[in-house]
């Protein structure tokens, strides 16, 4: 019997169609590697938070096939409640409503003098009270209200409801201090507001579960509060390109145009578009490329030799693994560096890759300073990322500070000719990421096709996920993974070299 869980309930609250698809056509949901990595980080956060209030009992139980044994978990939970256990983790309850099973597992069920408190652990970050608006918190309080409803129908007296998140202000020094790593917020008032609609939402959700696929158009809810993994399915019948491909337009505005029948680029050409959007539409409709040779020449004149091309790869662990690191801080573990010392000179390359165990930042920063001269001209693609990493390392390594900041201040952004519309090809489809620009500029070059990389790493999300796992691999697997990482990052900077060379070619073309 298909039923509700807290994740299914919140999915329904965002979009009933998403719940139906999740149950009956889950293969249509697109979960990218970055999101999958967040799920895995979330499990680590949840496990660490279990010890927040001292000794605990985790009732998680699996069947032989690896599926959760929910009846056993419910039974264990009731036994621990009878014992008066102070902290029950993954405390499990089921409650049947209108023939539908409602299930929840409370992250931490904490005993109080008069009942029990629900602590919902999320792997997201707390930043400040200013950012904790009711709208922002609603994505969490829906979930907690659903749990409270089940437990109270089960006869459990709930005396408090709390949200537990990682405190982004925490900086690790030595052993993890989980009392300061986590931020606990009392969300009683907001949960009580959500509680009033839980029963009605459950009744509506049951009708969705028992019915046919609901008809719902694309709207703001597709990205509120989370990006829906079924959106490409819902956009499946739309012509390509369409209004949702327009460059840097608010999704809510795209939805407004969509509902007003402005879907194709032909229909969008009379909208109040910004210059980049207008260029995107015109180049597609007229099947032409836009190249401004004079502006390209002006950009190229800002570059000088020796000329360097730099790219970092990073991990972004929820739980800070090293001293001087924060939750979800981007920690560089790898770089690729191409350079050419003079016009028509030899293209050279160097690289760095950490060992997946120790903090790689000091060694990486030192090698970078050794390889890039103090006053060198450095390029990066979308330079804010590389500049931020350099500035962060300069903050924690005072002896390298001046050199790292010099590199950062001298970086010129290779995305600029595209973002400033010096060059636009219809194949870019409104995106200036190098993964879109490269195949547009070099459509038939297999050397520059990321899908042709033979290893397991084809994009940054895969690099981020595989690097920490190398420490747990055998020697052969680790060697293959490291080779894949090196090949991928090498292609990132080689791609930058090729883009630079193409810009020179375009500026000189008759």
């Amino acid at each position: 019997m298909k039923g509700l869980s807290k994740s299914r309930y919140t999915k329904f609250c965002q979009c009933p169609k998403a719940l139906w698809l999740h149950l009956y056509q889950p293969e249509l949901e697109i979960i990218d590697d970055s999101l999958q990595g967040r799920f895995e980080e979330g499990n680590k956060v949840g496990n660490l938070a279990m010890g927040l209030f001292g000794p605990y009992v985790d009732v998680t139980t699996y069947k032989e096939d690896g599926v959760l044994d929910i009846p056993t978990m419910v039974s264990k939970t009731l036994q621990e409640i009878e014992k008066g256990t102070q902290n029950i983790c993954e405390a499990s309850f089921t409650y049947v409503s209108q023939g539908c099973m409602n299930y929840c597992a409370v992250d931490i069920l904490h005993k109080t003098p008069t009942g029990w408190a629900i602590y919902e652990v999320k792997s997201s970050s707390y930043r400040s009270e200013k950012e904790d608006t009711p709208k922002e918190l609603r994505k969490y309080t829906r979930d907690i209200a659903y749990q409270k409803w089940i437990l109270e129908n089960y006869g459990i007296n709930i005396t408090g409801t709390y949200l537990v998140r990682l405190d982004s202000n925490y900086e690790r020094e030595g052993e993890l201090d989980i009392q300061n790593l986590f931020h606990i917020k009392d969300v009683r008032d907001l949960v009580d507001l959500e509680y009033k609609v839980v029963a009605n939402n459950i009744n509506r959700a049951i009708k969705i579960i028992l019915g046919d696929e609901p008809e719902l158009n694309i709207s703001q809810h597709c990205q509120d509060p989370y990006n829906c993994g079924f959106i490409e399915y819902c956009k499946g019948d739309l012509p390509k390109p369409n209004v949702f491909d327009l460059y840097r337009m608010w999704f809510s505005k795209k939805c407004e145009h969509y509902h007003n029948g402005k879907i194709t680029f032909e229909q969008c050409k009379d909208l109040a578009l910004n210059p980049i959007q207008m260029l995107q539409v015109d180049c597609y409709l007229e099947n032409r490329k836009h190249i401004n040779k004079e502006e390209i020449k002006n950009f190229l004149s800002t570059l000088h030799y020796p000329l360097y091309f730099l790219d970092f790869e990073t991990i972004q662990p929820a739980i800070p693994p090293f001293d001087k690191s924060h939750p979800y801080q981007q920690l560089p573990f790898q770089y690729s560096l191409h350079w050419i010392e003079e016009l028509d000179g030899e293209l050279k390359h160097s690289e760095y890759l950490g060992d997946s165990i120790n903090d790689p930042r000091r060694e990486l920063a030192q090698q970078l300073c050794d390889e890039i001269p103090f006053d060198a001209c450095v390029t990066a693609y979308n330079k804010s990322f590389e500049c931020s990493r350099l500035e962060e390392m300069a903050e924690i390594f005072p002896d390298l500070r001046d050199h790292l900041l010099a590199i950062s201040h001298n970086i010129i952004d290779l995305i600029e000719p595209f973002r400033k519309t010096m060059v636009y090809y219809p194949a870019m489809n409104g995106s200036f990421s190098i993964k879109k620009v490269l195949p547009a500029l070099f459509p038939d070059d297999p050397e520059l096709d990321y899908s042709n990389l033979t290893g397991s790493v084809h994009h940054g999300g895969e690099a981020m996920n595989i690097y920490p796992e190398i420490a747990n691999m055998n020697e052969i697997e680790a060697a293959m993974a490291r080779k894949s990482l090196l090949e991928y990052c090498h292609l990132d900077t080689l791609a930058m070299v090729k883009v630079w060379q193409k810009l020179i070619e375009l500026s000189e073309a008759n």
Side-chain angles (χ1 to χ4, degrees):
M1 176 173 64
K2 293 187 183 295
L4 288 176
S5 62
K6 58 186 184 181
S7 61
R8 290 177 180 178
Y9 174 80
T10 53
K11 192 177 286 286
F12 165 80
C13 289
Q14 178 168 342
C15 176
K17 185 176 182 179
L19 170 64
W20 193 93
L21 291 169
H22 175 75
L23 291 172
Y24 296 104
Q25 293 186 272
E27 70 281 359
L28 298 175
E29 187 169 17
I30 298 174
I31 301 176
D32 63 29
D33 289 288
S34 296
L35 183 58
Q36 186 61 45
R38 289 294 288 263
F39 289 155
E40 293 169 5
E41 287 295 305
N43 291 333
K44 296 175 185 176
V45 171
N47 291 337
L48 185 62
M50 288 182 181
L52 261 176
F53 305 110
Y56 62 88
V57 173
D58 179 6
V59 301
T60 304
T61 309
Y62 294 96
K63 300 177 183 178
E64 290 184 0
D65 58 3
V67 175
L68 282 175
D69 187 344
I70 294 174
T72 299
M73 290 172 66
V74 171
S75 177
K76 285 183 176 181
T77 299
L78 296 179
Q79 291 171 22
E80 296 303 326
I81 288 176
E82 284 294 319
K83 292 179 186 177
T85 300
Q86 285 292 309
N87 300 296
I88 309 171
C89 297
E90 297 301 315
S92 300
F93 301 86
T94 55
Y95 181 76
V96 177
S97 174
Q98 296 192 15
C100 177
M101 182 70 75
N102 292 279
Y103 161 72
C104 73
V106 179
D107 292 331
I108 305 172
L109 188 63
H110 178 65
K111 187 172 176 54
T112 69
T114 57
W116 298 85
I118 293 172
Y119 286 81
E120 175 68 7
V121 180
K122 296 296 184 184
S123 59
S124 54
S125 298
Y126 165 83
R127 292 181 175 82
S128 68
E129 286 301 308
K130 183 179 179 180
E131 294 187 31
D132 266 356
T133 63
K135 183 179 186 297
E136 174 65 21
L137 291 171
R138 193 181 186 203
K139 60 188 178 186
Y140 308 122
T141 54
R142 282 174 169 171
D143 183 334
I144 301 170
Y146 172 78
Q147 296 173 63
K148 180 181 177 182
W149 185 86
I150 292 178
L151 269 65
E152 291 200 336
N153 274 286
Y154 216 90
I156 306 296
N157 181 36
I158 301 303
T159 60
T161 48
Y162 300 89
L163 174 63
V164 182
R165 290 167 293 170
L166 294 163
D167 192 333
S168 62
N169 302 301
Y170 172 80
E171 181 176 272
R172 181 166 182 168
E173 286 291 349
E175 293 299 315
L176 274 174
D177 177 357
I178 67 170
Q179 302 303 322
N180 287 315
L181 172 63
F182 289 102
H183 178 273
I184 300 174
K185 186 180 187 72
D186 187 336
V187 289
R188 179 195 305 264
D189 292 343
L190 293 173
V191 168
D192 287 347
L193 285 174
E194 289 293 334
Y195 188 88
K196 296 174 182 178
V197 299
V198 171
N200 183 52
N201 282 342
I202 288 174
N203 290 338
R204 291 168 53 221
I206 291 170
K207 291 178 181 178
I208 293 295
I209 291 172
L210 299 177
D212 296 327
E213 179 182 345
E215 294 186 11
L216 281 173
N217 283 327
I218 299 166
S219 192
Q220 182 63 31
H221 66 258
C222 298
Q223 290 189 355
D224 184 15
Y226 303 106
N227 291 335
C228 179
F230 293 106
I231 191 167
E232 293 305 318
Y233 165 75
C234 292
K235 293 195 300 188
D237 293 333
L238 298 182
K240 283 287 190 180
N242 58 65
V243 65
F244 293 103
D245 297 310
L246 287 173
Y247 174 79
R248 284 197 174 180
M249 178 181 284
W250 289 107
F251 185 72
S252 57
K253 194 67 177 177
K254 292 179 180 180
C255 290
E256 179 185 324
H257 293 321
Y258 167 73
H259 290 296
N260 288 333
K262 303 293 186 179
I263 299 172
T264 68
F265 273 16
E266 183 69 35
Q267 293 165 330
C268 290
K269 66 181 182 180
D270 297 325
L271 297 174
L273 304 176
N274 67 34
I276 297 180
Q277 294 160 356
M278 290 173 62
L279 180 65
Q280 178 188 358
V281 169
D282 289 344
C283 285
Y284 172 76
L285 293 177
E286 298 168 13
N287 191 26
R288 66 176 175 88
K289 301 171 183 176
H290 171 80
I291 299 167
N292 188 321
K293 292 197 294 184
E294 288 307 310
E295 288 191 4
I296 297 172
K297 286 179 182 178
N298 289 338
F299 169 78
L300 291 172
S301 70
T302 65
L303 307 177
H304 60 82
Y305 299 98
L307 181 59
Y308 290 78
F309 303 83
L310 174 65
D311 179 74
F312 287 137
E313 296 302 326
T314 63
I315 52 173
Q316 196 176 11
I319 301 168
F322 311 120
D323 288 353
K324 303 292 185 183
S325 64
H326 304 270
Y328 288 117
Q329 184 176 346
Q330 296 271 10
L331 304 174
F333 65 84
Q334 178 181 12
Y335 72 73
S336 176
L337 186 69
H338 275 89
W339 75 94
I340 185 169
E341 295 179 351
E342 57 187 0
L343 182 66
D344 300 324
E346 176 189 359
L347 182 64
K348 299 179 181 180
H349 178 258
S350 68
E351 59 198 1
Y352 173 87
L353 177 58
D355 62 11
S356 299
I357 299 172
N358 300 296
D359 186 347
R361 291 175 293 172
R362 173 70 203 198
E363 195 172 60
L364 180 150
Q366 182 66 66
Q367 182 172 313
L368 201 61
C369 290
D370 292 342
E371 293 185 334
I372 299 180
F374 199 89
D375 58 350
C377 182
V378 183
T379 67
Y381 202 92
N382 206 5
K383 73 175 187 178
S384 61
F385 183 80
E386 272 69 27
C387 289
S388 294
R389 306 294 78 78
L390 289 163
E391 289 161 13
E392 288 163 359
M393 289 188 291
E395 200 58 34
I396 61 174
F397 304 127
D399 59 315
L400 302 178
R401 175 183 174 82
D402 290 347
H403 200 136
L404 290 170
L405 290 180
I407 295 173
S408 176
H409 295 159
N410 287 328
I411 290 183
I412 295 175
D413 204 334
L414 266 183
I415 201 173
E416 187 176 320
F418 306 98
R419 192 173 280 164
K420 292 188 175 179
T421 64
M422 302 174 200
V423 181
Y424 184 79
Y425 287 22
M428 295 175 190
N429 198 28
S431 172
F432 302 134
S433 77
I434 201 159
K435 300 298 192 296
K436 286 288 189 179
V437 167
L438 200 62
L441 298 180
F442 304 96
D444 301 312
D445 191 338
E447 181 189 22
L448 301 178
D449 188 341
Y450 282 84
S451 65
N452 287 338
L453 289 169
T454 57
S456 55
V457 181
H458 305 85
H459 55 76
E462 289 179 341
M464 183 179 288
N465 291 343
I466 200 170
Y467 174 74
E469 295 304 315
I470 292 176
N472 304 317
M473 296 178 182
N474 63 42
E475 188 175 342
I476 295 176
E477 291 172 335
M480 292 176 63
R482 291 180 64 83
K483 182 173 182 288
S484 296
L485 284 166
L486 292 171
E487 288 178 350
Y488 167 72
C489 200
H490 176 274
L491 180 53
D492 270 349
T493 49
L494 178 63
M496 292 164 58
V497 173
K498 295 293 187 180
V499 167
W500 165 67
Q501 292 172 339
K502 174 62 76 170
L503 290 172
I504 294 174
E505 177 188 320
L506 293 176
S507 72
E508 296 173 347
N510 295 325

